[in-house]
Amino acid sequence: MKQFANKSIGCTINNCINHCQERDYCSLKEIHIGAHESNPTLDECTDCKSFQRK
């Protein structure tokens, strides 16, 4: 299946099924961001909830 890079969503997570292998972009039209802490204060506290492992 050919994936089209969404140039509005940069991504370097190569082991995600939505990652465009030829370029560092996500292939989804939109992504969902969430937090694994109740009061996130650092970028490390947030997660891409659209991630799907290959």
Side-chain angles (χ1 to χ4, degrees):
M1 177 173 87
K2 175 75 173 157
Q3 291 182 313
F4 296 96
N6 181 342
K7 293 186 178 179
S8 295
I9 307 173
C11 180
T12 59
I13 309 303
N14 295 323
N15 66 336
C16 179
I17 198 167
N18 300 308
H19 184 265
C20 290
Q21 296 307 306
E22 62 276 359
R23 292 184 256 155
D24 282 340
Y25 293 105
C26 183
S27 64
L28 296 174
K29 291 182 180 181
E30 65 179 23
I31 60 171
H32 298 276
I33 304 298
H36 55 266
E37 295 184 8
S38 60
N39 185 24
T41 57
L42 301 170
D43 60 345
E44 293 89 358
C45 302
T46 61
D47 302 299
C48 177
K49 298 298 186 179
S50 300
F51 171 80
Q52 293 181 7
R53 186 178 171 101
K54 284 186 183 175

Coordinates of all heavy atoms in Angstrom, one line a residue:
M1 N 0.8 -1.2 0.0 CA 0.0 0.0 0.0 C 0.9 1.2 0.0 O 1.8 1.4 0.8 CB -0.9 0.0 1.2 CG -1.8 1.2 1.3 SD -3.0 1.1 2.7 CE -2.0 1.7 4.0
K2 N 0.7 2.1 -0.9 CA 1.4 3.4 -1.0 C 0.9 4.4 0.0 O -0.2 4.6 0.1 CB 1.3 4.0 -2.4 CG 1.9 5.3 -2.6 CD 3.4 5.2 -2.8 CE 3.9 6.6 -3.2 NZ 5.3 6.7 -2.8
Q3 N 1.9 4.9 0.8 CA 1.5 5.9 1.8 C 1.9 7.3 1.3 O 3.0 7.5 0.7 CB 2.3 5.6 3.1 CG 1.8 4.4 3.8 CD 2.5 4.2 5.1 OE1 3.7 4.3 5.2 NE2 1.7 3.9 6.1
F4 N 1.0 8.3 1.5 CA 1.3 9.6 1.1 C 1.7 10.4 2.3 O 1.0 10.4 3.3 CB 0.1 10.2 0.4 CG -0.3 9.5 -0.9 CD1 -1.2 8.5 -0.9 CD2 0.4 9.8 -2.1 CE1 -1.5 7.8 -2.1 CE2 0.1 9.2 -3.2 CZ -0.9 8.1 -3.2
A5 N 2.8 11.2 2.2 CA 3.3 12.0 3.3 C 2.4 13.2 3.6 O 2.1 13.9 2.6 CB 4.7 12.4 3.0
N6 N 2.0 13.3 4.8 CA 1.2 14.5 5.2 C 2.3 15.5 5.7 O 2.8 15.3 6.8 CB 0.2 14.2 6.3 CG -0.6 15.4 6.8 OD1 -0.2 16.5 6.5 ND2 -1.7 15.2 7.4
K7 N 2.6 16.5 4.9 CA 3.7 17.4 5.2 C 3.4 18.3 6.4 O 4.2 19.1 6.8 CB 4.2 18.1 4.0 CG 4.8 17.2 3.0 CD 5.4 18.0 1.8 CE 6.1 17.0 0.9 NZ 6.6 17.6 -0.3
S8 N 2.2 18.2 6.9 CA 1.8 19.0 8.1 C 2.1 18.2 9.4 O 2.0 18.8 10.5 CB 0.3 19.3 8.1 OG 0.0 20.1 7.0
I9 N 2.5 17.0 9.2 CA 2.7 16.1 10.4 C 4.1 15.5 10.2 O 4.2 14.4 9.6 CB 1.7 15.0 10.7 CG1 0.3 15.7 10.7 CG2 2.0 14.3 11.9 CD1 -0.9 14.6 10.7
G10 N 5.1 16.1 10.8 CA 6.5 15.5 10.8 C 6.5 14.4 11.8 O 5.9 14.4 12.8
C11 N 7.3 13.3 11.4 CA 7.4 12.2 12.4 C 8.6 11.4 12.1 O 9.0 11.2 10.9 CB 6.2 11.2 12.2 SG 6.2 9.8 13.2
T12 N 9.3 11.0 13.1 CA 10.5 10.2 13.0 C 10.4 8.8 13.6 O 11.4 8.1 13.9 CB 11.7 10.9 13.7 OG1 11.4 11.1 15.1 CG2 12.0 12.2 13.0
I13 N 9.2 8.4 13.9 CA 8.9 7.1 14.6 C 8.8 6.0 13.5 O 7.8 5.7 12.9 CB 7.7 7.1 15.4 CG1 7.7 8.3 16.4 CG2 7.5 5.8 16.2 CD1 8.9 8.3 17.3
N14 N 10.0 5.4 13.1 CA 10.1 4.4 12.0 C 9.3 3.2 12.2 O 8.9 2.5 11.3 CB 11.5 4.1 11.7 CG 12.3 5.3 11.2 OD1 11.8 6.1 10.5 ND2 13.5 5.4 11.6
N15 N 9.0 2.8 13.5 CA 8.3 1.5 13.7 C 6.8 1.7 13.9 O 6.1 0.8 14.3 CB 8.9 0.8 14.9 CG 8.7 1.5 16.2 OD1 8.5 2.7 16.3 ND2 8.7 0.8 17.3
C16 N 6.3 2.8 13.4 CA 4.9 3.1 13.4 C 4.4 2.7 12.0 O 5.0 3.1 11.0 CB 4.5 4.5 13.7 SG 2.7 4.9 13.7
I17 N 3.2 2.1 11.9 CA 2.7 1.7 10.6 C 2.3 2.9 9.8 O 2.2 2.8 8.5 CB 1.5 0.7 10.8 CG1 1.1 0.0 9.6 CG2 0.3 1.5 11.4 CD1 0.2 -1.2 9.8
N18 N 2.1 4.0 10.4 CA 1.7 5.2 9.7 C 2.8 6.1 9.2 O 2.6 7.1 8.5 CB 0.7 6.1 10.6 CG -0.5 5.3 11.0 OD1 -1.2 4.8 10.1 ND2 -0.8 5.3 12.3
H19 N 4.1 5.7 9.5 CA 5.2 6.5 9.2 C 5.5 6.3 7.7 O 5.5 5.1 7.2 CB 6.4 6.0 10.0 CG 7.7 6.8 9.7 ND1 8.6 6.4 8.8 CD2 8.1 8.0 10.2 CE1 9.6 7.3 8.8 NE2 9.3 8.3 9.6
C20 N 5.8 7.4 6.9 CA 6.2 7.3 5.5 C 7.7 6.9 5.5 O 8.5 7.7 5.9 CB 6.0 8.6 4.8 SG 4.2 8.9 4.6
Q21 N 8.0 5.7 5.1 CA 9.4 5.2 5.2 C 10.4 6.0 4.4 O 11.5 6.2 4.8 CB 9.4 3.7 4.8 CG 8.6 2.8 5.7 CD 9.0 3.0 7.2 OE1 10.2 2.9 7.5 NE2 8.0 3.3 8.0
E22 N 9.9 6.6 3.3 CA 10.9 7.3 2.4 C 11.1 8.7 3.0 O 12.1 9.4 2.6 CB 10.4 7.4 1.0 CG 9.1 8.1 0.8 CD 7.8 7.2 1.0 OE1 8.0 6.0 1.3 OE2 6.7 7.7 0.9
R23 N 10.3 9.2 3.8 CA 10.4 10.6 4.4 C 9.9 10.6 5.8 O 9.1 9.7 6.2 CB 9.6 11.6 3.6 CG 10.2 11.8 2.2 CD 9.5 12.8 1.4 NE 8.6 12.1 0.5 CZ 7.5 12.6 0.0 NH1 7.1 13.8 0.3 NH2 6.8 11.9 -0.9
D24 N 10.4 11.6 6.6 CA 10.0 11.6 8.0 C 8.7 12.4 8.2 O 8.7 13.5 8.7 CB 11.1 12.3 8.8 CG 12.2 11.3 9.1 OD1 12.0 10.0 9.0 OD2 13.3 11.7 9.5
Y25 N 7.6 11.8 7.7 CA 6.3 12.3 7.9 C 5.3 11.2 8.2 O 5.5 10.1 8.0 CB 5.8 13.0 6.6 CG 6.5 14.2 6.2 CD1 7.4 14.2 5.1 CD2 6.3 15.4 6.8 CE1 8.1 15.3 4.8 CE2 7.0 16.6 6.5 CZ 7.9 16.5 5.4 OH 8.6 17.6 5.1
C26 N 4.2 11.6 8.8 CA 3.1 10.7 9.1 C 2.2 10.6 7.8 O 2.1 11.6 7.1 CB 2.3 11.2 10.3 SG 0.9 10.1 10.8
S27 N 1.6 9.5 7.6 CA 0.7 9.4 6.4 C -0.8 9.6 6.8 O -1.6 9.6 5.9 CB 0.8 8.0 5.8 OG 0.4 7.0 6.8
L28 N -1.1 9.8 8.0 CA -2.5 10.1 8.4 C -2.9 11.5 8.1 O -2.1 12.4 8.0 CB -2.7 9.8 9.9 CG -2.4 8.4 10.4 CD1 -2.5 8.3 11.9 CD2 -3.4 7.4 9.8
K29 N -4.2 11.7 7.9 CA -4.8 13.1 7.7 C -4.8 13.9 9.0 O -4.6 15.1 9.0 CB -6.2 13.0 7.1 CG -6.2 12.5 5.7 CD -7.6 12.5 5.2 CE -7.6 11.9 3.8 NZ -9.0 11.9 3.2
E30 N -4.9 13.2 10.1 CA -4.9 13.8 11.4 C -4.4 12.8 12.4 O -4.5 11.6 12.2 CB -6.2 14.4 11.8 CG -7.3 13.3 12.0 CD -8.6 13.9 12.5 OE1 -8.9 15.0 12.2 OE2 -9.4 13.1 13.1
I31 N -3.8 13.3 13.5 CA -3.3 12.5 14.6 C -4.0 12.9 15.9 O -4.6 14.0 15.9 CB -1.8 12.5 14.7 CG1 -1.3 13.9 15.0 CG2 -1.1 11.9 13.5 CD1 0.2 13.9 15.4
H32 N -3.9 12.1 16.9 CA -4.5 12.4 18.2 C -3.4 12.4 19.2 O -2.6 11.4 19.3 CB -5.6 11.4 18.6 CG -6.7 11.4 17.6 ND1 -7.7 12.3 17.7 CD2 -7.0 10.7 16.5 CE1 -8.6 12.1 16.7 NE2 -8.1 11.1 16.0
I33 N -3.3 13.4 20.0 CA -2.2 13.6 21.0 C -2.9 13.5 22.3 O -3.9 14.0 22.6 CB -1.5 15.0 20.8 CG1 -0.9 15.1 19.4 CG2 -0.4 15.1 21.9 CD1 0.1 14.1 19.0
G34 N -2.2 12.8 23.2 CA -2.7 12.7 24.6 C -1.5 12.8 25.6 O -0.4 13.0 25.2
A35 N -1.9 12.6 26.8 CA -0.8 12.6 27.9 C -1.0 11.4 28.8 O -2.0 10.9 28.9 CB -1.0 13.9 28.7
H36 N 0.2 11.0 29.3 CA 0.2 9.8 30.2 C 0.3 10.3 31.7 O 0.5 9.5 32.6 CB 1.2 8.8 29.8 CG 2.6 9.3 29.8 ND1 3.1 9.8 28.6 CD2 3.5 9.5 30.7 CE1 4.4 10.2 28.8 NE2 4.6 10.1 30.1
E37 N 0.2 11.6 31.9 CA 0.2 12.2 33.2 C -1.1 13.1 33.3 O -1.5 13.7 32.3 CB 1.4 13.0 33.4 CG 2.7 12.2 33.5 CD 3.9 13.0 33.8 OE1 3.8 14.2 34.2 OE2 5.0 12.4 33.7
S38 N -1.6 13.3 34.5 CA -2.8 14.1 34.7 C -2.5 15.6 34.4 O -3.4 16.4 34.0 CB -3.4 13.9 36.0 OG -2.4 14.3 37.0
N39 N -1.3 16.1 34.7 CA -0.9 17.5 34.5 C 0.4 17.6 33.8 O 1.4 17.9 34.4 CB -0.9 18.2 35.9 CG -0.6 19.7 35.7 OD1 -0.9 20.3 34.7 ND2 -0.1 20.3 36.7
P40 N 0.4 17.4 32.5 CA 1.7 17.3 31.8 C 2.4 18.7 31.8 O 1.7 19.7 31.5 CB 1.4 16.9 30.3 CG -0.1 17.2 30.2 CD -0.7 17.1 31.6
T41 N 3.7 18.7 32.0 CA 4.4 20.0 32.1 C 5.6 19.9 31.1 O 6.3 21.0 30.9 CB 5.0 20.3 33.5 OG1 5.7 19.1 33.9 CG2 3.8 20.5 34.4
L42 N 6.0 18.8 30.6 CA 7.1 18.6 29.6 C 6.6 17.9 28.4 O 5.7 17.1 28.4 CB 8.2 17.8 30.3 CG 8.8 18.3 31.6 CD1 9.7 17.3 32.2 CD2 9.6 19.6 31.3
D43 N 7.3 18.1 27.3 CA 6.9 17.4 26.0 C 7.0 15.9 26.2 O 6.3 15.1 25.5 CB 7.7 17.9 24.8 CG 9.2 17.7 25.0 OD1 9.7 17.5 26.1 OD2 9.9 17.8 23.9
E44 N 7.9 15.4 27.1 CA 8.1 14.0 27.3 C 6.8 13.4 28.0 O 6.7 12.2 28.0 CB 9.3 13.7 28.2 CG 10.6 14.0 27.6 CD 11.0 15.5 27.8 OE1 10.3 16.3 28.5 OE2 12.1 15.8 27.4
C45 N 5.9 14.2 28.5 CA 4.7 13.7 29.1 C 3.6 13.5 28.1 O 2.5 13.0 28.5 CB 4.2 14.7 30.2 SG 5.4 15.1 31.4
T46 N 3.8 13.8 26.9 CA 2.7 13.7 25.9 C 3.0 12.5 24.9 O 4.2 12.1 24.8 CB 2.6 15.0 25.0 OG1 3.8 15.3 24.4 CG2 2.2 16.1 25.9
D47 N 2.0 12.0 24.3 CA 2.1 10.8 23.4 C 1.3 11.0 22.2 O 0.2 11.6 22.2 CB 1.6 9.6 24.1 CG 2.3 9.3 25.4 OD1 3.5 9.1 25.4 OD2 1.6 9.3 26.5
C48 N 1.7 10.4 21.1 CA 0.9 10.3 19.9 C 0.0 9.1 20.1 O 0.4 7.9 20.1 CB 1.7 10.1 18.6 SG 0.8 9.9 17.1
K49 N -1.3 9.3 20.2 CA -2.3 8.3 20.5 C -2.7 7.6 19.2 O -3.4 6.6 19.2 CB -3.5 8.8 21.2 CG -3.3 9.4 22.5 CD -2.7 8.3 23.5 CE -2.6 8.9 24.9 NZ -2.1 7.9 25.8
S50 N -2.2 8.1 18.0 CA -2.4 7.4 16.7 C -1.4 6.4 16.4 O -1.5 5.7 15.4 CB -2.5 8.5 15.6 OG -3.5 9.4 15.9
F51 N -0.3 6.3 17.2 CA 0.7 5.3 17.0 C 0.2 3.9 16.9 O -0.6 3.4 17.7 CB 1.8 5.4 18.1 CG 2.8 4.3 18.1 CD1 3.9 4.4 17.2 CD2 2.7 3.2 18.9 CE1 4.8 3.4 17.2 CE2 3.6 2.2 18.9 CZ 4.7 2.2 18.0
Q52 N 0.7 3.1 15.9 CA 0.4 1.7 15.8 C 1.7 1.0 15.4 O 2.3 1.3 14.4 CB -0.7 1.4 14.7 CG -2.0 2.0 15.0 CD -3.0 1.6 13.9 OE1 -2.7 0.9 13.0 NE2 -4.2 2.2 14.0
R53 N 2.1 0.1 16.2 CA 3.4 -0.6 16.0 C 3.3 -1.5 14.7 O 2.2 -2.1 14.5 CB 3.7 -1.5 17.2 CG 5.1 -2.1 17.0 CD 5.4 -2.9 18.3 NE 6.6 -3.7 18.0 CZ 7.8 -3.4 18.4 NH1 8.0 -2.3 19.2 NH2 8.8 -4.2 18.2
K54 N 4.3 -1.5 13.9 CA 4.4 -2.3 12.7 C 4.3 -3.8 13.1 O 4.9 -4.2 14.1 CB 5.6 -2.1 11.9 CG 5.6 -0.8 11.1 CD 6.8 -0.7 10.3 CE 6.8 0.6 9.5 NZ 8.0 0.8 8.8

